[in-house]
Amino acid sequence: MMVADFPLWPDQASTFAADVDNLYIFLILVTGAVSVGVFLTIFYFAIKFRRRPENELAQEYEPPHMLEAAWIVIPSIIFMGIFVWGSWLYFHLARVPDDALDIYATGKQWMWKFQHPTGQREINTLHVPVNRPVKITMASEDVIHSLYFPYFRTKADVLPSRYRTMWFQAKQTGRFHIFCAEYCGTLHSGMIGWVEVMEPAEYQKWLAGGTEGSLASQGEQLFQKFACHTCHTNDATGRGPVLLGLYGRDIALSDDTTVKADDNYIRESILMPQAKLAKGFQPIMPTFQGQMSEEDLIKLLAYVKSLASSQPTAPAAVTKGAPQ
Amino acid sequence: MSSATLHDVRLSGAATGRNYFNEEYGALSWFFTKDHKRIAILYLISVSIMFVLGGFFAMMMRIELLTPQGDLLTSDTYNKFFTLHGVVMIFFFLIPVVPAILGNFILPLQLGAKDLAFPKINLLSWYLYMLAAAVGLIVIVNGGVDTGWTFYTPFSTQYSNTHVFGTTFAGFIAGFSSILTGFNFIVTIHRMRAPGLTWYRLPLFVWALYAASIVMLLATPVLAITLVMLMIERTIGVGFFDPALGGDPLLYQHMFWFYSHPAVYIMILPAMGVASDVVAAFTRKKIFGYRFVAYSSLAIAFLGFLVWAHHMFVAGISVYSAMIFAFLSFFVAVPSAIKVFNWTATLYRASVSWQTPMMYILGFIGLFTIGGVTGLFLAALGLDIHVHDTYFVVAHFHYVMVGGTVMAYLAGIHYWWPKITGRMYPEWWARLAALLVFVGFNLTFFPQFILGYVGMPRRYHAYAPEFQVLNVLSTAGASVLAVGYLLPIIYLVWSIWFGRPAGRNPWGAVGLEWTTSSPPPKENFHETPVVTWDAYDYPAMMKAMGESQNV
């Protein structure tokens, strides 16, 4: 009668969920069998060899010492099997599919903010299409949070220091929990929400409801507002590096190392421009630390990303001195 | 022959007379004592008070969690209670409980020594513990702390408005108490063994304390460094961990777990030592694979230093470092498995007594096994992503720390109580308490494994309604567990005045501690014992003890 109140695991709402549950069930069976075996053996021995009479000593008997080798080697082999299986899943989850839909998340005491490439913003609710990989790029505005989708069997800590990514592919439509899993202060248990998994057509319809323009175009407006364009003129005359075609490339730095222009590099170069200065440029850019919200950073990032496929009109100053 | 000798040993030694209790009187004779036995009693009283305090916070949380919405406590109070529950139970109960109470009392006795190597440092350890506890209590009275016992940055350094500095300062001081105890034990075990007591003749409790002491000595300073860095960042804003100041919050986690993972072995290793001694005594048999069990303690102490980042699999470390830490985490499980299998094998053709200490240890083996195998779930990387920071983790470490350490401590305190006080406790009540603790524990914590897998995160003041049934079960179990824990406090205290005299060796156990009177005299032994038998060598030791009785 109460069975419905005793779920043993949540619905398998992502492609990853069944893989995790299979390992879980395997581990329950193996460790359960070993544990029950140990318990029954202990119980059997403790009753069969119980003390009688009161001052009885134990029998002089030593079990064969080969047993030691057996219970060192056999568990080790089983452990290695579990290790390989668990690592395989972990690697699978670390590799984000190329065709994943880009969504951005910001954790903040005590809410989740999501931004879609088309410009929609939502708080504590995330709309995603079913059967399509979704990549979430996320950062925190304050303390460490952890974005947890129990029905998708995945979570990742959200850091204030840098972007992290996670991905999932929902395989059934519906409404599923979002929790914050890393303790973050007073309303930690209130930092919750829902992920709404929709049919692709419905998702498109939902996206069309947006009015503010795409994330990249919102980023472009900020680019103008913060007067970034006065130096990043996107031709060889600018005092700042050309941003066209920059995203994803290797950048030569003033200390003769190179760095890949990924999300975290763009973020750091806005917040702390002097940290990794591109070769051939003066350290004249002001810091935007504390002046720009995570959401604005994401918009700018989306804008810089949108320039990735464009080619600079003049020889790219930014790759000057890059190893060929 | 041997059984007749055994009987003689059990009846003799009921002598009353001079002992460490009645040697001197007055409060000052206790507060300035250098006697390891009296210091153990001081620890017994203070650690028990901290246990009741930590238990109070736990009970309040469990009552709050009866309903999905937050009603009994405010969010801030709830957050402070789980933080204080963790801080009190870990730094002031689990770390000192077995080494500082049972180890302090029993270690010199098992070595045939008059005291620890540095009796004054031993007293200093207790004063440091009390100072730390006093700072902790001042923090609690002034409003507490809400960071979780892990003090993760940047929450603890930049965002929490509670008494983070005071709490970490208390942890810092308590750490020195632990360092000094570990140092004292190591020197004592090396230098103070009785003639003939070679390393392989040592009881396994001594091996376990030795391994734990190494961890205390090497890991605890890192905690001290980490907490000092945290205090500096919080007060004067030097950016070690705060990204806004150029720091890295993950550095804090690495440093914190570099201590705090080995710290779980400080908590469980001595408990495993108690288990070995109790299994031997209540089977009247040498522990099967003595050397494997002894070396597995050292292996755990060593490997325990190499697995800290398994607390950080979803925190943002590289996949390759996660893989290495997962691999090593599986290996630290092997020596624990060795112990469980060896204890089990010892029962074969043994003379198994179902007296209270053994009941606790049989419970310990079962609960520790469940705690151990669920650690494998957490070490499996892909699975940890789902269960990390859920109630699955809470259940796992309570099975190890409460099902393991607390059960073994209760076994140990019942086993050595006649030696410590010279009195027997009422066996029927003790067995009832052991049963209540076992049943209550499982009812409290087993539902939490399921709760974690269905996705309830830890440290949640309010939760989704579908988690309620399991939470109610857990709270019901906690109330049974609370009764199980209160009973021993009552009947053990009662027995000090009303228990029947225990005599020298009520269990018919071997070990040097059972060759002296109960309670032991101030100098432990009237003459230095000479050891000619292996640990747990029942026939040989019975013969030797019988002969010494006949002289």
Side-chain angles (χ1 to χ4, degrees):
Chain A
M1 54 159 190
M2 301 267 290
V3 172
D5 290 336
F6 276 94
L8 293 179
W9 46 77
D11 284 353
Q12 299 177 336
S14 75
T15 50
F16 186 63
D19 294 337
V20 174
D21 290 353
N22 288 341
L23 176 56
Y24 178 63
I25 293 162
F26 171 81
L27 277 169
I28 289 176
L29 292 177
V30 171
T31 62
V34 173
S35 304
V36 169
V38 168
F39 302 157
L40 290 179
T41 310
I42 288 176
F43 228 70
Y44 175 72
F45 286 172
I47 289 171
K48 181 168 166 64
F49 303 112
R50 70 185 177 277
R51 185 175 296 171
R52 51 185 176 185
E54 172 52 19
N55 50 14
E56 174 192 40
L57 283 183
Q59 299 170 43
E60 291 299 304
Y61 173 81
E62 279 263 301
H65 279 255
M66 274 306 290
L67 280 174
E68 296 285 355
W71 60 54
I72 292 172
V73 173
I74 296 172
S76 299
I77 292 170
I78 296 173
F79 291 171
M80 284 309 93
I82 304 168
F83 165 72
V84 170
W85 191 341
S87 301
W88 176 77
L89 285 178
Y90 194 75
F91 267 89
H92 177 62
L93 216 63
R95 214 176 297 118
V96 184
D98 292 334
D99 59 338
L101 181 69
D102 258 319
I103 288 177
Y104 298 88
T106 304
K108 175 182 186 320
Q109 286 176 325
W110 293 275
M111 64 174 82
W112 293 108
K113 295 191 277 193
F114 298 99
Q115 287 163 283
H116 295 259
T118 45
Q120 276 80 0
R121 300 166 54 206
E122 38 185 345
I123 290 178
N124 292 344
T125 308
L126 171 62
H127 289 80
V128 293
V130 71
N131 294 330
R132 162 123 194 242
V134 173
K135 171 188 171 190
I136 302 182
T137 303
M138 56 204 178
S140 164
E141 278 190 17
D142 37 49
V143 303
I144 299 175
H145 302 279
S146 187
L147 185 54
Y148 179 30
F149 299 98
Y151 286 76
F152 300 158
R153 308 290 188 276
T154 187
K155 74 163 69 69
D157 285 7
V158 183
L159 303 176
S161 49
R162 60 186 157 98
Y163 289 121
R164 296 197 60 212
T165 57
M166 69 190 297
W167 76 276
F168 56 79
Q169 180 171 338
K171 64 168 196 177
Q172 72 185 62
T173 56
R175 198 160 177 263
F176 307 107
H177 283 299
I178 297 173
F179 293 133
C180 176
E182 183 67 65
Y183 173 67
C184 58
T186 305
L187 291 181
H188 168 55
S189 63
M191 194 170 161
I192 57 178
W194 298 96
V195 52
E196 301 265 4
V197 181
M198 314 168 92
E199 291 296 344
E202 276 184 67
Y203 177 69
Q204 287 307 328
K205 218 156 74 189
W206 180 83
L207 282 182
T211 51
E212 296 175 64
S214 75
L215 209 52
S217 72
Q218 292 177 40
E220 191 173 6
Q221 288 165 25
L222 286 174
F223 197 77
Q224 308 292 331
K225 183 184 154 202
F226 284 100
C228 311
H229 62 287
T230 54
C231 295
H232 296 282
T233 53
N234 284 340
D235 57 44
T237 65
R239 287 183 292 166
V242 171
L243 302 180
L244 295 172
L246 170 128
Y247 183 81
R249 286 235 307 272
D250 284 336
I251 308 293
L253 299 180
S254 55
D255 62 356
D256 289 324
T257 57
T258 59
V259 64
K260 190 170 167 358
D262 58 7
D263 295 0
N264 276 313
Y265 176 72
I266 305 294
R267 175 195 167 83
E268 185 185 52
S269 298
I270 297 170
L271 295 178
M272 287 178 281
Q274 266 60 278
K276 294 194 182 82
L277 190 67
K279 195 181 179 79
F281 291 94
Q282 295 302 312
I284 52 170
M285 179 170 158
T287 171
F288 286 88
Q289 180 108 43
Q291 301 177 37
M292 204 171 280
S293 70
E294 289 295 336
E295 286 165 287
D296 283 353
L297 272 171
I298 285 165
K299 290 174 189 169
L300 278 173
L301 173 65
Y303 174 60
V304 173
K305 271 174 146 170
S306 74
L307 303 177
S309 50
S310 322
Q311 282 307 313
T313 48
V318 75
T319 51
K320 243 189 322 193
Q324 297 302 311
Chain B
M1 166 64 201
S2 60
S3 54
T5 319
L6 181 64
H7 205 63
D8 295 342
V9 173
R10 286 165 55 83
L11 288 180
S12 65
T16 51
R18 243 171 24 81
N19 60 53
Y20 76 99
F21 259 114
N22 60 21
E23 184 87 23
E24 290 172 273
Y25 290 98
L28 288 185
S29 75
W30 284 88
F31 288 125
F32 292 106
T33 184
K34 297 191 284 296
D35 184 344
H36 66 100
K37 299 181 290 298
R38 283 187 164 210
I39 295 170
I41 300 294
L42 293 175
Y43 269 118
L44 173 63
I45 295 165
S46 34
V47 171
S48 300
I49 292 170
M50 293 310 264
F51 178 70
V52 172
L53 184 64
F56 163 77
F57 292 129
M59 250 358 263
M60 294 306 285
M61 283 192 281
R62 283 306 341 155
I63 295 170
E64 164 64 66
L65 294 173
L66 273 172
T67 53
Q69 65 279 20
D71 30 30
L72 177 68
L73 309 171
T74 64
S75 294
D76 280 325
T77 309
Y78 182 84
N79 295 343
K80 285 174 182 175
F81 277 19
F82 75 67
T83 302
L84 293 169
H85 169 69
V87 169
V88 168
M89 286 303 202
I90 287 170
F91 294 113
F92 295 98
F93 176 73
L94 286 167
I95 295 264
V97 63
V98 178
I101 300 174
L102 299 176
N104 239 327
F105 199 99
I106 297 302
L107 176 65
L109 289 168
Q110 287 196 331
L111 297 179
K114 282 192 171 62
D115 208 312
L116 288 177
F118 304 106
K120 289 179 189 164
I121 290 181
N122 196 21
L123 184 64
L124 175 63
S125 298
W126 181 73
Y127 274 105
L128 286 171
Y129 173 86
M130 291 307 285
L131 181 64
V135 174
L137 289 175
I138 291 170
V139 164
I140 292 172
V141 171
N142 282 292
V145 62
D146 72 343
T147 58
W149 79 278
T150 45
F151 310 117
Y152 269 20
T153 58
F155 182 72
S156 61
T157 50
Q158 308 296 323
Y159 290 88
S160 174
N161 296 318
T162 57
H163 297 281
V164 179
F165 187 93
T167 313
T168 47
F169 188 56
F172 176 82
I173 302 170
F176 283 94
S177 168
S178 170
I179 291 170
L180 291 179
T181 300
F183 162 71
N184 218 337
F185 283 5
I186 290 173
V187 177
T188 305
I189 294 167
H190 273 278
R191 305 295 303 165
M192 308 275 285
R193 283 172 282 127
L197 188 55
T198 59
W199 283 88
Y200 292 122
R201 286 175 175 173
L202 289 171
L204 288 163
F205 184 51
V206 178
W207 276 96
L209 283 176
Y210 185 76
S213 299
I214 291 173
V215 182
M216 288 185 209
L217 196 62
L218 297 182
T220 319
V222 179
L223 174 74
I225 294 166
T226 312
L227 294 180
V228 167
M229 288 167 77
L230 191 152
M231 289 187 271
I232 290 175
E233 179 166 314
R234 186 172 165 89
T235 48
I236 57 174
V238 177
F240 298 114
F241 310 124
D242 183 6
L245 301 170
D248 182 356
L250 290 193
L251 174 67
Y252 174 82
Q253 295 180 23
H254 279 293
M255 294 189 70
F256 179 81
W257 290 114
F258 186 85
Y259 162 77
S260 293
H261 191 76
V264 306
Y265 300 110
I266 297 175
M267 303 178 219
I268 195 66
L269 275 167
M272 291 165 156
V274 173
S276 295
D277 271 25
V278 169
V279 167
F282 292 88
T283 57
R284 297 216 171 115
K285 198 157 172 283
K286 191 171 177 163
I287 293 290
F288 177 63
Y290 169 92
R291 290 193 184 199
F292 284 94
V293 177
Y295 279 118
S296 65
S297 289
L298 296 182
I300 288 171
F302 174 71
L303 288 169
F305 276 101
L306 305 177
V307 299
W308 76 87
H310 69 207
H311 296 266
M312 301 169 61
F313 287 157
V314 301
I317 58 175
S318 89
V319 283
Y320 298 102
S321 93
M323 218 172 76
I324 289 165
F325 280 105
F327 184 79
L328 291 165
S329 299
F330 281 104
F331 269 95
V332 80
V334 174
S336 300
I338 291 173
K339 284 180 192 280
V340 169
F341 291 130
N342 278 300
W343 291 324
T344 307
T346 305
L347 298 179
Y348 184 65
R349 295 203 189 175
S351 165
V352 182
S353 158
W354 282 75
Q355 282 157 303
T356 307
M358 189 60 170
M359 284 184 66
Y360 275 112
I361 285 303
L362 293 177
F364 161 89
I365 298 174
L367 301 182
F368 176 74
T369 301
I370 295 174
V373 298
T374 50
L376 302 174
F377 290 56
L378 295 165
L381 286 168
L383 185 52
D384 182 64
I385 292 175
H386 174 52
V387 289
H388 182 85
D389 269 331
T390 68
Y391 265 85
F392 192 92
V393 177
V394 177
H396 159 71
F397 70 71
H398 281 86
Y399 262 84
V400 178
M401 297 285 94
V402 185
T405 305
V406 180
M407 290 290 276
Y409 166 69
L410 287 170
I413 199 77
H414 284 86
Y415 175 50
W416 283 305
W417 190 254
K419 182 55 60 185
I420 294 170
T421 63
R423 301 288 182 157
M424 295 304 292
Y425 47 80
E427 177 72 13
W428 188 87
W429 284 102
R431 288 191 195 188
L432 175 69
L435 198 67
L436 286 178
V437 166
F438 184 78
V439 172
F441 177 87
N442 280 301
L443 189 54
T444 308
F445 292 104
F446 200 83
Q448 296 186 4
F449 282 122
I450 305 168
L451 205 47
Y453 203 81
V454 295
M456 178 165 165
R458 58 192 291 202
R459 298 173 166 179
Y460 260 35
H461 169 232
Y463 54 83
E466 67 260 35
F467 301 143
Q468 186 174 12
V469 174
L470 290 162
N471 271 297
V472 170
L473 278 180
S474 184
T475 301
S479 56
V480 177
L481 191 56
V483 175
Y485 285 148
L486 286 175
L487 274 179
I489 297 176
I490 296 166
Y491 65 71
L492 287 178
V493 172
W494 176 90
S495 75
I496 295 173
W497 288 278
F498 305 109
R500 68 182 162 79
R504 192 174 283 252
N505 186 2
W507 312 119
V510 297
L512 288 177
E513 74 268 33
W514 301 110
T515 63
T516 188
S517 50
S518 309
K522 189 181 181 189
E523 65 277 17
N524 291 349
F525 300 93
H526 293 292
E527 49 192 285
T528 305
V530 177
V531 179
T532 55
W533 55 84
D534 285 349
Y536 318 125
D537 189 348
Y538 264 86
M541 182 140 177
M542 281 302 154
K543 194 154 167 283
M545 285 165 80
E547 279 162 6
S548 71
Q549 290 304 313
N550 297 335
V551 172

